[in-house]
Amino acid sequence: MAQDFWDNRFSSPDYLFGTEPNAFLRSQGFRLPAAGRALAVADGEGRNGVWLARQGLQVHAVDFSGVALEKARRLAAGQGVVLETEQADLSQWVWPAAAYDVVVAIFIQFANPDLRTHIFAGIRRVLKPGGLLLLQGYRPEQLNYRTGGPSQVENLYTRELLEHAFSDWEVLHLVSHDSVIHEGRGHDGMSALIDLAARKPAT
């Protein structure tokens, strides 16, 4: 049932979340290395993975939906880059140790608290020492706006939650804000957001 849900969600000819990269991700471009491997977690139709590839990174885009990943490959081809795509259930996926220089996790709030704990542990595992995490999500106040994201408050992020999850990392940027975003039909309007840029300790 879950597979059908995600495939159906991405089955329309247009791109549910648009083809432009997430604004927070783009704003953090200055932090990206000039080269290296990037993991795009639950990258969907590829808007963020494709942008990362355009910055010169070798991008591994992982998502549950094969329909979304096919659209991601088309988007990449149209922009002259290549994505390494993998269809996977993140609750079962083997997170390789110290394999990536960058991890990008944008609006991965399909994850309930148990799955989120598993994914965050995976992120901590896969980043190389000194690697960069870029993460954006909705705060609980998003339930008042209803402009995107899940309806389960427990899936949403607070500052305290992110500080606890990455307490031993160097926090480069952690900001809560209410901002208007336009990301296709999926995210459109005033939104309660939280942005995190953090670096894994070098040793």
PDB file of all heavy atoms in Angstrom, residues 53-88:
ATOM      1  N   ALA A  53      24.182  17.913  -8.472  1.00  0.00           N
ATOM      2  CA  ALA A  53      25.019  17.433  -9.569  1.00  0.00           C
ATOM      3  C   ALA A  53      25.509  18.598 -10.424  1.00  0.00           C
ATOM      4  O   ALA A  53      26.651  18.588 -10.910  1.00  0.00           O
ATOM      5  CB  ALA A  53      24.247  16.423 -10.421  1.00  0.00           C
ATOM      6  N   ARG A  54      24.683  19.594 -10.595  1.00  0.00           N
ATOM      7  CA  ARG A  54      25.090  20.773 -11.370  1.00  0.00           C
ATOM      8  C   ARG A  54      26.188  21.563 -10.661  1.00  0.00           C
ATOM      9  O   ARG A  54      26.915  22.329 -11.301  1.00  0.00           O
ATOM     10  CB  ARG A  54      23.878  21.663 -11.640  1.00  0.00           C
ATOM     11  CG  ARG A  54      22.898  21.065 -12.651  1.00  0.00           C
ATOM     12  CD  ARG A  54      21.663  21.919 -12.798  1.00  0.00           C
ATOM     13  NE  ARG A  54      21.984  23.290 -13.161  1.00  0.00           N
ATOM     14  CZ  ARG A  54      21.155  24.324 -13.025  1.00  0.00           C
ATOM     15  NH1 ARG A  54      19.953  24.139 -12.505  1.00  0.00           N
ATOM     16  NH2 ARG A  54      21.536  25.522 -13.391  1.00  0.00           N
ATOM     17  N   GLN A  55      26.331  21.368  -9.360  1.00  0.00           N
ATOM     18  CA  GLN A  55      27.405  22.039  -8.617  1.00  0.00           C
ATOM     19  C   GLN A  55      28.704  21.245  -8.681  1.00  0.00           C
ATOM     20  O   GLN A  55      29.709  21.646  -8.075  1.00  0.00           O
ATOM     21  CB  GLN A  55      26.997  22.236  -7.157  1.00  0.00           C
ATOM     22  CG  GLN A  55      25.629  22.874  -6.946  1.00  0.00           C
ATOM     23  CD  GLN A  55      25.380  24.072  -7.835  1.00  0.00           C
ATOM     24  OE1 GLN A  55      26.117  25.052  -7.796  1.00  0.00           O
ATOM     25  NE2 GLN A  55      24.314  24.004  -8.635  1.00  0.00           N
ATOM     26  N   GLY A  56      28.709  20.119  -9.379  1.00  0.00           N
ATOM     27  CA  GLY A  56      29.928  19.345  -9.568  1.00  0.00           C
ATOM     28  C   GLY A  56      30.067  18.134  -8.668  1.00  0.00           C
ATOM     29  O   GLY A  56      31.109  17.473  -8.689  1.00  0.00           O
ATOM     30  N   LEU A  57      29.010  17.802  -7.906  1.00  0.00           N
ATOM     31  CA  LEU A  57      29.068  16.659  -7.009  1.00  0.00           C
ATOM     32  C   LEU A  57      28.578  15.388  -7.701  1.00  0.00           C
ATOM     33  O   LEU A  57      27.755  15.441  -8.624  1.00  0.00           O
ATOM     34  CB  LEU A  57      28.224  16.919  -5.763  1.00  0.00           C
ATOM     35  CG  LEU A  57      28.681  18.096  -4.895  1.00  0.00           C
ATOM     36  CD1 LEU A  57      27.683  18.356  -3.779  1.00  0.00           C
ATOM     37  CD2 LEU A  57      30.065  17.838  -4.320  1.00  0.00           C
ATOM     38  N   GLN A  58      29.074  14.260  -7.250  1.00  0.00           N
ATOM     39  CA  GLN A  58      28.585  12.957  -7.687  1.00  0.00           C
ATOM     40  C   GLN A  58      27.436  12.593  -6.759  1.00  0.00           C
ATOM     41  O   GLN A  58      27.644  12.368  -5.561  1.00  0.00           O
ATOM     42  CB  GLN A  58      29.699  11.915  -7.612  1.00  0.00           C
ATOM     43  CG  GLN A  58      29.288  10.525  -8.050  1.00  0.00           C
ATOM     44  CD  GLN A  58      30.399   9.521  -7.825  1.00  0.00           C
ATOM     45  OE1 GLN A  58      31.536   9.884  -7.495  1.00  0.00           O
ATOM     46  NE2 GLN A  58      30.075   8.245  -7.985  1.00  0.00           N
ATOM     47  N   VAL A  59      26.222  12.512  -7.289  1.00  0.00           N
ATOM     48  CA  VAL A  59      25.031  12.451  -6.452  1.00  0.00           C
ATOM     49  C   VAL A  59      24.393  11.069  -6.494  1.00  0.00           C
ATOM     50  O   VAL A  59      24.141  10.515  -7.573  1.00  0.00           O
ATOM     51  CB  VAL A  59      23.997  13.511  -6.882  1.00  0.00           C
ATOM     52  CG1 VAL A  59      22.757  13.441  -5.989  1.00  0.00           C
ATOM     53  CG2 VAL A  59      24.615  14.904  -6.817  1.00  0.00           C
ATOM     54  N   HIS A  60      24.121  10.544  -5.319  1.00  0.00           N
ATOM     55  CA  HIS A  60      23.373   9.300  -5.133  1.00  0.00           C
ATOM     56  C   HIS A  60      22.014   9.684  -4.575  1.00  0.00           C
ATOM     57  O   HIS A  60      21.912  10.150  -3.433  1.00  0.00           O
ATOM     58  CB  HIS A  60      24.140   8.395  -4.174  1.00  0.00           C
ATOM     59  CG  HIS A  60      23.525   7.048  -3.980  1.00  0.00           C
ATOM     60  ND1 HIS A  60      23.966   6.170  -3.011  1.00  0.00           N
ATOM     61  CD2 HIS A  60      22.512   6.404  -4.616  1.00  0.00           C
ATOM     62  CE1 HIS A  60      23.252   5.062  -3.067  1.00  0.00           C
ATOM     63  NE2 HIS A  60      22.360   5.177  -4.022  1.00  0.00           N
ATOM     64  N   ALA A  61      20.982   9.531  -5.375  1.00  0.00           N
ATOM     65  CA  ALA A  61      19.625   9.896  -4.979  1.00  0.00           C
ATOM     66  C   ALA A  61      18.855   8.629  -4.623  1.00  0.00           C
ATOM     67  O   ALA A  61      18.700   7.737  -5.458  1.00  0.00           O
ATOM     68  CB  ALA A  61      18.925  10.650  -6.103  1.00  0.00           C
ATOM     69  N   VAL A  62      18.371   8.568  -3.396  1.00  0.00           N
ATOM     70  CA  VAL A  62      17.645   7.397  -2.907  1.00  0.00           C
ATOM     71  C   VAL A  62      16.200   7.796  -2.637  1.00  0.00           C
ATOM     72  O   VAL A  62      15.940   8.842  -2.032  1.00  0.00           O
ATOM     73  CB  VAL A  62      18.297   6.845  -1.629  1.00  0.00           C
ATOM     74  CG1 VAL A  62      17.504   5.679  -1.077  1.00  0.00           C
ATOM     75  CG2 VAL A  62      19.739   6.429  -1.893  1.00  0.00           C
ATOM     76  N   ASP A  63      15.264   6.964  -3.099  1.00  0.00           N
ATOM     77  CA  ASP A  63      13.859   7.241  -2.845  1.00  0.00           C
ATOM     78  C   ASP A  63      13.062   5.941  -2.887  1.00  0.00           C
ATOM     79  O   ASP A  63      13.478   4.971  -3.522  1.00  0.00           O
ATOM     80  CB  ASP A  63      13.291   8.237  -3.862  1.00  0.00           C
ATOM     81  CG  ASP A  63      12.005   8.874  -3.385  1.00  0.00           C
ATOM     82  OD1 ASP A  63      12.074   9.899  -2.672  1.00  0.00           O
ATOM     83  OD2 ASP A  63      10.912   8.343  -3.686  1.00  0.00           O
ATOM     84  N   PHE A  64      11.908   5.949  -2.246  1.00  0.00           N
ATOM     85  CA  PHE A  64      11.033   4.779  -2.189  1.00  0.00           C
ATOM     86  C   PHE A  64      10.291   4.546  -3.495  1.00  0.00           C
ATOM     87  O   PHE A  64       9.912   3.423  -3.816  1.00  0.00           O
ATOM     88  CB  PHE A  64      10.039   4.980  -1.044  1.00  0.00           C
ATOM     89  CG  PHE A  64       9.295   3.741  -0.629  1.00  0.00           C
ATOM     90  CD1 PHE A  64       9.943   2.522  -0.485  1.00  0.00           C
ATOM     91  CD2 PHE A  64       7.943   3.796  -0.346  1.00  0.00           C
ATOM     92  CE1 PHE A  64       9.265   1.383  -0.083  1.00  0.00           C
ATOM     93  CE2 PHE A  64       7.251   2.663   0.066  1.00  0.00           C
ATOM     94  CZ  PHE A  64       7.914   1.453   0.195  1.00  0.00           C
ATOM     95  N   SER A  65      10.064   5.610  -4.262  1.00  0.00           N
ATOM     96  CA  SER A  65       9.213   5.542  -5.449  1.00  0.00           C
ATOM     97  C   SER A  65      10.025   5.419  -6.728  1.00  0.00           C
ATOM     98  O   SER A  65      10.783   6.323  -7.092  1.00  0.00           O
ATOM     99  CB  SER A  65       8.327   6.789  -5.531  1.00  0.00           C
ATOM    100  OG  SER A  65       7.651   6.841  -6.766  1.00  0.00           O
ATOM    101  N   GLY A  66       9.821   4.320  -7.438  1.00  0.00           N
ATOM    102  CA  GLY A  66      10.448   4.171  -8.745  1.00  0.00           C
ATOM    103  C   GLY A  66       9.910   5.162  -9.752  1.00  0.00           C
ATOM    104  O   GLY A  66      10.633   5.610 -10.650  1.00  0.00           O
ATOM    105  N   VAL A  67       8.643   5.532  -9.632  1.00  0.00           N
ATOM    106  CA  VAL A  67       8.048   6.531 -10.522  1.00  0.00           C
ATOM    107  C   VAL A  67       8.753   7.871 -10.347  1.00  0.00           C
ATOM    108  O   VAL A  67       9.098   8.547 -11.329  1.00  0.00           O
ATOM    109  CB  VAL A  67       6.538   6.671 -10.241  1.00  0.00           C
ATOM    110  CG1 VAL A  67       5.953   7.848 -11.011  1.00  0.00           C
ATOM    111  CG2 VAL A  67       5.804   5.384 -10.595  1.00  0.00           C
ATOM    112  N   ALA A  68       8.987   8.269  -9.101  1.00  0.00           N
ATOM    113  CA  ALA A  68       9.685   9.528  -8.837  1.00  0.00           C
ATOM    114  C   ALA A  68      11.102   9.487  -9.384  1.00  0.00           C
ATOM    115  O   ALA A  68      11.574  10.463 -10.000  1.00  0.00           O
ATOM    116  CB  ALA A  68       9.707   9.814  -7.336  1.00  0.00           C
ATOM    117  N   LEU A  69      11.791   8.377  -9.206  1.00  0.00           N
ATOM    118  CA  LEU A  69      13.181   8.296  -9.652  1.00  0.00           C
ATOM    119  C   LEU A  69      13.286   8.317 -11.175  1.00  0.00           C
ATOM    120  O   LEU A  69      14.265   8.862 -11.710  1.00  0.00           O
ATOM    121  CB  LEU A  69      13.841   7.045  -9.081  1.00  0.00           C
ATOM    122  CG  LEU A  69      14.081   7.081  -7.563  1.00  0.00           C
ATOM    123  CD1 LEU A  69      14.595   5.738  -7.082  1.00  0.00           C
ATOM    124  CD2 LEU A  69      15.048   8.191  -7.184  1.00  0.00           C
ATOM    125  N   GLU A  70      12.324   7.763 -11.864  1.00  0.00           N
ATOM    126  CA  GLU A  70      12.332   7.852 -13.325  1.00  0.00           C
ATOM    127  C   GLU A  70      12.212   9.309 -13.760  1.00  0.00           C
ATOM    128  O   GLU A  70      12.903   9.764 -14.679  1.00  0.00           O
ATOM    129  CB  GLU A  70      11.194   7.025 -13.910  1.00  0.00           C
ATOM    130  CG  GLU A  70      11.037   7.155 -15.412  1.00  0.00           C
ATOM    131  CD  GLU A  70      12.282   6.757 -16.199  1.00  0.00           C
ATOM    132  OE1 GLU A  70      13.022   5.858 -15.740  1.00  0.00           O
ATOM    133  OE2 GLU A  70      12.527   7.362 -17.268  1.00  0.00           O
ATOM    134  N   LYS A  71      11.357  10.068 -13.096  1.00  0.00           N
ATOM    135  CA  LYS A  71      11.235  11.493 -13.392  1.00  0.00           C
ATOM    136  C   LYS A  71      12.529  12.232 -13.034  1.00  0.00           C
ATOM    137  O   LYS A  71      12.932  13.168 -13.734  1.00  0.00           O
ATOM    138  CB  LYS A  71      10.041  12.089 -12.641  1.00  0.00           C
ATOM    139  CG  LYS A  71       8.707  11.549 -13.146  1.00  0.00           C
ATOM    140  CD  LYS A  71       7.545  11.955 -12.270  1.00  0.00           C
ATOM    141  CE  LYS A  71       7.116  13.376 -12.514  1.00  0.00           C
ATOM    142  NZ  LYS A  71       5.877  13.700 -11.760  1.00  0.00           N
ATOM    143  N   ALA A  72      13.177  11.807 -11.959  1.00  0.00           N
ATOM    144  CA  ALA A  72      14.453  12.423 -11.575  1.00  0.00           C
ATOM    145  C   ALA A  72      15.505  12.204 -12.651  1.00  0.00           C
ATOM    146  O   ALA A  72      16.271  13.122 -12.989  1.00  0.00           O
ATOM    147  CB  ALA A  72      14.925  11.846 -10.248  1.00  0.00           C
ATOM    148  N   ARG A  73      15.563  11.000 -13.208  1.00  0.00           N
ATOM    149  CA  ARG A  73      16.539  10.734 -14.273  1.00  0.00           C
ATOM    150  C   ARG A  73      16.244  11.570 -15.512  1.00  0.00           C
ATOM    151  O   ARG A  73      17.170  12.064 -16.173  1.00  0.00           O
ATOM    152  CB  ARG A  73      16.552   9.236 -14.603  1.00  0.00           C
ATOM    153  CG  ARG A  73      17.169   8.379 -13.493  1.00  0.00           C
ATOM    154  CD  ARG A  73      17.353   6.944 -13.920  1.00  0.00           C
ATOM    155  NE  ARG A  73      16.099   6.232 -14.036  1.00  0.00           N
ATOM    156  CZ  ARG A  73      15.505   5.553 -13.044  1.00  0.00           C
ATOM    157  NH1 ARG A  73      16.062   5.526 -11.840  1.00  0.00           N
ATOM    158  NH2 ARG A  73      14.367   4.905 -13.244  1.00  0.00           N
ATOM    159  N   ARG A  74      14.971  11.756 -15.823  1.00  0.00           N
ATOM    160  CA  ARG A  74      14.614  12.607 -16.966  1.00  0.00           C
ATOM    161  C   ARG A  74      15.010  14.056 -16.722  1.00  0.00           C
ATOM    162  O   ARG A  74      15.514  14.736 -17.623  1.00  0.00           O
ATOM    163  CB  ARG A  74      13.111  12.504 -17.259  1.00  0.00           C
ATOM    164  CG  ARG A  74      12.667  11.170 -17.819  1.00  0.00           C
ATOM    165  CD  ARG A  74      11.342  11.291 -18.561  1.00  0.00           C
ATOM    166  NE  ARG A  74      10.263  11.806 -17.727  1.00  0.00           N
ATOM    167  CZ  ARG A  74       9.414  11.040 -17.038  1.00  0.00           C
ATOM    168  NH1 ARG A  74       9.547   9.732 -17.039  1.00  0.00           N
ATOM    169  NH2 ARG A  74       8.444  11.593 -16.339  1.00  0.00           N
ATOM    170  N   LEU A  75      14.770  14.518 -15.504  1.00  0.00           N
ATOM    171  CA  LEU A  75      15.151  15.892 -15.167  1.00  0.00           C
ATOM    172  C   LEU A  75      16.657  16.063 -15.267  1.00  0.00           C
ATOM    173  O   LEU A  75      17.142  17.075 -15.803  1.00  0.00           O
ATOM    174  CB  LEU A  75      14.670  16.223 -13.743  1.00  0.00           C
ATOM    175  CG  LEU A  75      14.952  17.639 -13.245  1.00  0.00           C
ATOM    176  CD1 LEU A  75      14.207  18.671 -14.080  1.00  0.00           C
ATOM    177  CD2 LEU A  75      14.557  17.768 -11.763  1.00  0.00           C
ATOM    178  N   ALA A  76      17.407  15.090 -14.779  1.00  0.00           N
ATOM    179  CA  ALA A  76      18.864  15.164 -14.850  1.00  0.00           C
ATOM    180  C   ALA A  76      19.340  15.193 -16.293  1.00  0.00           C
ATOM    181  O   ALA A  76      20.206  16.010 -16.661  1.00  0.00           O
ATOM    182  CB  ALA A  76      19.479  13.976 -14.113  1.00  0.00           C
ATOM    183  N   ALA A  77      18.787  14.324 -17.120  1.00  0.00           N
ATOM    184  CA  ALA A  77      19.192  14.272 -18.526  1.00  0.00           C
ATOM    185  C   ALA A  77      18.887  15.600 -19.212  1.00  0.00           C
ATOM    186  O   ALA A  77      19.694  16.093 -20.021  1.00  0.00           O
ATOM    187  CB  ALA A  77      18.483  13.127 -19.230  1.00  0.00           C
ATOM    188  N   GLY A  78      17.747  16.197 -18.885  1.00  0.00           N
ATOM    189  CA  GLY A  78      17.383  17.472 -19.490  1.00  0.00           C
ATOM    190  C   GLY A  78      18.303  18.601 -19.090  1.00  0.00           C
ATOM    191  O   GLY A  78      18.416  19.604 -19.810  1.00  0.00           O
ATOM    192  N   GLN A  79      18.975  18.452 -17.952  1.00  0.00           N
ATOM    193  CA  GLN A  79      19.890  19.494 -17.487  1.00  0.00           C
ATOM    194  C   GLN A  79      21.354  19.107 -17.659  1.00  0.00           C
ATOM    195  O   GLN A  79      22.251  19.789 -17.175  1.00  0.00           O
ATOM    196  CB  GLN A  79      19.581  19.840 -16.027  1.00  0.00           C
ATOM    197  CG  GLN A  79      18.174  20.406 -15.860  1.00  0.00           C
ATOM    198  CD  GLN A  79      17.958  21.117 -14.551  1.00  0.00           C
ATOM    199  OE1 GLN A  79      18.896  21.547 -13.887  1.00  0.00           O
ATOM    200  NE2 GLN A  79      16.708  21.286 -14.164  1.00  0.00           N
ATOM    201  N   GLY A  80      21.585  18.006 -18.373  1.00  0.00           N
ATOM    202  CA  GLY A  80      22.943  17.644 -18.748  1.00  0.00           C
ATOM    203  C   GLY A  80      23.791  17.065 -17.639  1.00  0.00           C
ATOM    204  O   GLY A  80      25.026  17.141 -17.690  1.00  0.00           O
ATOM    205  N   VAL A  81      23.147  16.458 -16.626  1.00  0.00           N
ATOM    206  CA  VAL A  81      23.890  15.819 -15.545  1.00  0.00           C
ATOM    207  C   VAL A  81      23.376  14.393 -15.363  1.00  0.00           C
ATOM    208  O   VAL A  81      22.371  14.002 -15.949  1.00  0.00           O
ATOM    209  CB  VAL A  81      23.771  16.610 -14.218  1.00  0.00           C
ATOM    210  CG1 VAL A  81      24.409  17.978 -14.352  1.00  0.00           C
ATOM    211  CG2 VAL A  81      22.317  16.719 -13.774  1.00  0.00           C
ATOM    212  N   VAL A  82      24.083  13.647 -14.542  1.00  0.00           N
ATOM    213  CA  VAL A  82      23.724  12.252 -14.276  1.00  0.00           C
ATOM    214  C   VAL A  82      23.510  12.070 -12.780  1.00  0.00           C
ATOM    215  O   VAL A  82      24.293  12.567 -11.968  1.00  0.00           O
ATOM    216  CB  VAL A  82      24.832  11.290 -14.770  1.00  0.00           C
ATOM    217  CG1 VAL A  82      24.499   9.853 -14.384  1.00  0.00           C
ATOM    218  CG2 VAL A  82      25.020  11.421 -16.269  1.00  0.00           C
ATOM    219  N   LEU A  83      22.430  11.353 -12.424  1.00  0.00           N
ATOM    220  CA  LEU A  83      22.200  10.950 -11.046  1.00  0.00           C
ATOM    221  C   LEU A  83      22.389   9.444 -10.936  1.00  0.00           C
ATOM    222  O   LEU A  83      21.947   8.689 -11.803  1.00  0.00           O
ATOM    223  CB  LEU A  83      20.768  11.269 -10.606  1.00  0.00           C
ATOM    224  CG  LEU A  83      20.333  12.717 -10.448  1.00  0.00           C
ATOM    225  CD1 LEU A  83      18.887  12.764  -9.951  1.00  0.00           C
ATOM    226  CD2 LEU A  83      21.235  13.470  -9.494  1.00  0.00           C
ATOM    227  N   GLU A  84      23.018   9.023  -9.878  1.00  0.00           N
ATOM    228  CA  GLU A  84      22.971   7.612  -9.497  1.00  0.00           C
ATOM    229  C   GLU A  84      21.716   7.446  -8.649  1.00  0.00           C
ATOM    230  O   GLU A  84      21.624   8.022  -7.558  1.00  0.00           O
ATOM    231  CB  GLU A  84      24.213   7.226  -8.692  1.00  0.00           C
ATOM    232  CG  GLU A  84      24.170   5.790  -8.167  1.00  0.00           C
ATOM    233  CD  GLU A  84      25.255   5.505  -7.143  1.00  0.00           C
ATOM    234  OE1 GLU A  84      26.139   6.369  -6.949  1.00  0.00           O
ATOM    235  OE2 GLU A  84      25.202   4.426  -6.533  1.00  0.00           O
ATOM    236  N   THR A  85      20.722   6.721  -9.140  1.00  0.00           N
ATOM    237  CA  THR A  85      19.466   6.584  -8.424  1.00  0.00           C
ATOM    238  C   THR A  85      19.328   5.176  -7.859  1.00  0.00           C
ATOM    239  O   THR A  85      19.816   4.204  -8.440  1.00  0.00           O
ATOM    240  CB  THR A  85      18.265   6.884  -9.329  1.00  0.00           C
ATOM    241  OG1 THR A  85      18.267   5.981 -10.441  1.00  0.00           O
ATOM    242  CG2 THR A  85      18.313   8.322  -9.845  1.00  0.00           C
ATOM    243  N   GLU A  86      18.656   5.093  -6.730  1.00  0.00           N
ATOM    244  CA  GLU A  86      18.414   3.799  -6.093  1.00  0.00           C
ATOM    245  C   GLU A  86      17.049   3.824  -5.429  1.00  0.00           C
ATOM    246  O   GLU A  86      16.763   4.704  -4.611  1.00  0.00           O
ATOM    247  CB  GLU A  86      19.494   3.493  -5.059  1.00  0.00           C
ATOM    248  CG  GLU A  86      19.306   2.142  -4.381  1.00  0.00           C
ATOM    249  CD  GLU A  86      20.414   1.805  -3.406  1.00  0.00           C
ATOM    250  OE1 GLU A  86      21.397   2.588  -3.313  1.00  0.00           O
ATOM    251  OE2 GLU A  86      20.299   0.783  -2.716  1.00  0.00           O
ATOM    252  N   GLN A  87      16.212   2.866  -5.789  1.00  0.00           N
ATOM    253  CA  GLN A  87      14.919   2.719  -5.146  1.00  0.00           C
ATOM    254  C   GLN A  87      15.106   1.893  -3.881  1.00  0.00           C
ATOM    255  O   GLN A  87      15.622   0.770  -3.934  1.00  0.00           O
ATOM    256  CB  GLN A  87      13.926   2.035  -6.077  1.00  0.00           C
ATOM    257  CG  GLN A  87      12.516   1.937  -5.507  1.00  0.00           C
ATOM    258  CD  GLN A  87      11.547   1.311  -6.489  1.00  0.00           C
ATOM    259  OE1 GLN A  87      11.899   1.031  -7.636  1.00  0.00           O
ATOM    260  NE2 GLN A  87      10.325   1.086  -6.050  1.00  0.00           N
ATOM    261  N   ALA A  88      14.709   2.461  -2.736  1.00  0.00           N
ATOM    262  CA  ALA A  88      14.959   1.773  -1.478  1.00  0.00           C
ATOM    263  C   ALA A  88      13.990   2.256  -0.406  1.00  0.00           C
ATOM    264  O   ALA A  88      13.547   3.404  -0.406  1.00  0.00           O
ATOM    265  CB  ALA A  88      16.395   2.008  -1.011  1.00  0.00           C
TER     266      ALA A  88
END
